[in-house]
Amino acid sequence: MTLSHSISASERQVLRVIWANPKCTSTYIIEALSKNFNWQAATIKTLINRLLKKEFIITTSKRPYQYVATLTEEKLLDLECDDLLTHVCQKRQGELLSLLIQKAQLSKQDTHLLQKLLQEKEIDAPEQLACTCIPGQCRCCHH
């Protein structure tokens, strides 16, 4: 599965409220977001309507409408990660992960999980990765 539509940072804020509070109403979403963002109710309703059109959310009842997400936060992150990795030369994906790790706030539990995953990955990891880019799209000079 791939993402058929992109999602803006503002739309993601609406989705985060819905993920945390399934079957919430637009009134609830407006109250939750207007506390931390300088957004008018009309702006938030526009964001809700965009998410409906993109089919990231659906309504589960009539008046008052209740909203639920059509995919989980984990699934959206998984799809976005897949998309991000397609934009980077396969030989540089490790560098991308290193950069993300450097920028992320991590708990000790997170670091232990990452170490475990890396140890598991190392078992089957090849010595080198092949470049799968179209010629002219990267600087690894293997074309």
Side-chain angles (χ1 to χ4, degrees):
M1 180 179 189
T2 59
L3 279 176
S4 56
H5 299 287
S6 63
I7 184 166
S8 72
S10 300
E11 291 166 344
R12 182 179 295 278
Q13 293 301 327
V14 174
L15 262 178
R16 290 182 68 196
V17 173
I18 295 170
W19 283 324
N21 306 279
K23 295 189 177 181
C24 61
T25 63
S26 59
T27 303
Y28 183 88
I29 297 167
I30 290 165
E31 287 175 13
L33 293 175
S34 62
K35 291 176 186 173
N36 295 305
F37 298 95
N38 191 21
W39 296 342
Q40 299 297 318
T43 301
I44 297 169
K45 287 179 183 177
T46 298
L47 295 170
I48 292 169
N49 284 324
R50 283 188 201 160
L51 289 168
L52 284 166
K53 285 180 185 173
K54 294 178 181 182
E55 299 180 343
F56 280 107
I57 62 173
I58 58 172
T59 58
T60 61
S61 66
K62 301 246 186 226
R63 305 242 186 239
Y65 294 116
Q66 294 178 324
Y67 300 97
V68 294
T70 57
L71 71 167
T72 64
E73 184 174 16
E74 293 77 16
K75 183 63 178 174
L76 180 60
L77 288 173
D78 183 54
L79 292 170
E80 289 176 328
C81 285
D82 288 346
D83 185 56
L84 177 60
L85 289 171
T86 65
H87 297 302
V88 179
C89 176
Q90 186 169 284
K91 294 179 72 106
R92 299 192 69 199
Q93 289 179 358
E95 292 174 40
L96 173 62
L97 291 174
S98 295
L99 182 61
L100 288 170
I101 290 169
Q102 288 173 25
K103 290 181 177 270
Q105 293 286 344
L106 300 171
S107 68
K108 289 198 181 285
Q109 184 178 359
D110 294 331
T111 61
H112 292 299
L113 174 62
L114 288 169
Q115 289 170 352
K116 182 180 178 214
L117 288 171
L118 287 171
Q119 288 171 348
E120 290 171 4
K121 278 278 199 188
E122 187 176 27
I123 293 169
D124 297 322
E127 288 298 319
Q128 291 187 344
L129 293 171
C131 175
T132 57
C133 297
I134 295 170
Q137 282 190 332
C138 69
R139 293 181 265 152
C140 69
C141 304
H142 286 65
H143 299 289

